[in-house]
């Protein structure tokens, strides 16, 4: 049985009449003893969790022996690699600070193996999935260059206009470059509940 968060989120919203965060919904699902699973896939949410080891232990609890957990997430320092270089350091650090202030961790990717092991999983493995503009097209990366979220951070006082100036100049130079490329990495960690 696969547990997909979108279907779970809809079912729990319908049954409770309450709108909750995905983390609350996930813990609600896991707290029910009526569920057991052979496999669980959790994607792009672990960086939002205040205690990813506790959440992983809950997943471990509901898995049947031999069951697997696959966590797909990213690590901010591996997210954008570009040519010509795009100056994203200040923006990346600010996004990390904002996520940390919300009890999350944008550098979660480098910790996925340890999280699985601390939760009791064995046979831990890690793979990198690479997206490259020469394969999927540079237009696939254009939403990442949207300055909207960054300008929202300016409006919220989380980053100053002077701090993002180098990024905006760099981004405009990157967009104008004729021979540009972009690459991002996603990490996929897997652990198994021993028999």
């Amino acid at each position: 049985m696969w547990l997909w968060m979108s279907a779970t989120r809809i079912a729990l919203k319908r049954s409770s009449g309450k709108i909750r965060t995905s983390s609350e919904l996930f813990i609600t699902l896991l707290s029910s003893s009526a569920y057991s699973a052979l496999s669980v896939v959790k994607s792009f949410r672990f960086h939002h969790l205040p205690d990813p080891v506790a959440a992983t232990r809950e997943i471990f609890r509901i898995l049947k022996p031999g069951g697997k957990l696959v966590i797909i997430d990213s690590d901010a320092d591996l997210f954008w690699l570009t040519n010509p270089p795009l100056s994203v350091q200040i923006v990346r650090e600010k996004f990390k600070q904002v996520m940390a202030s919300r009890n999350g961790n944008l550098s979660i990717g480098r910790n996925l193996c340890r999280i699985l092991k601390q939760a009791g999983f064995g046979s831990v493995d890690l793979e990198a999935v690479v997206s490259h503009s020469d394969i999927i097209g540079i237009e696939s990366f254009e939403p990442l260059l949207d300055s909207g979220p960054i300008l929202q951070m300016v409006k919220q006082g989380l980053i100053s206009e002077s701090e993002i100036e180098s990024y905006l100049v760099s981004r405009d130079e990157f967009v104008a470059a004729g021979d540009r490329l972009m690459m991002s990495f996603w990490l996929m960690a897997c652990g198994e509940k021993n028999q």
Side-chain angles (χ1 to χ4, degrees), residues 45 68 87 101 130 143:
R45 293 285 180 232
K68 294 183 179 182
S87 176
S101 73
V130 181

Side-chain angles (χ1 to χ4, degrees), residues 68 74 146 174:
K68 294 183 179 182
S74 61
D146 179 12
F174 177 78

Side-chain angles (χ1 to χ4, degrees), residues 51-62 115 118-121:
D51 190 348
V53 174
T56 306
R57 283 186 181 124
E58 282 295 301
I59 296 169
F60 184 86
R61 183 181 65 78
I62 69 158
I115 290 167
Q118 289 173 6
F121 285 92

Side-chain angles (χ1 to χ4, degrees), residues 67-141:
K68 294 183 179 182
L69 168 62
V70 178
I71 305 169
I72 304 167
D73 219 313
S74 61
D75 191 297
D77 293 326
L78 294 176
F79 194 66
W80 290 359
L81 298 176
T82 64
N83 190 30
L86 183 59
S87 176
V88 296
Q89 188 64 27
I90 186 70
V91 174
R92 178 185 296 139
E93 293 307 312
K94 286 296 181 175
F95 272 117
K96 284 182 183 179
Q97 290 172 13
V98 169
M99 184 60 70
S101 73
R102 297 175 180 166
N103 296 316
N105 179 1
L106 281 178
S107 299
I108 194 81
R110 66 193 73 181
N111 297 309
L112 293 177
C113 292
R114 287 184 180 181
I115 290 167
L116 286 166
K117 288 178 181 178
Q118 289 173 6
F121 285 92
S123 302
V124 173
D125 194 15
L126 180 70
E127 298 285 335
V129 178
V130 181
S131 296
H132 196 290
S133 60
D134 284 354
I135 297 170
I136 64 172
I138 193 70
E139 61 279 351
S140 298
F141 289 91

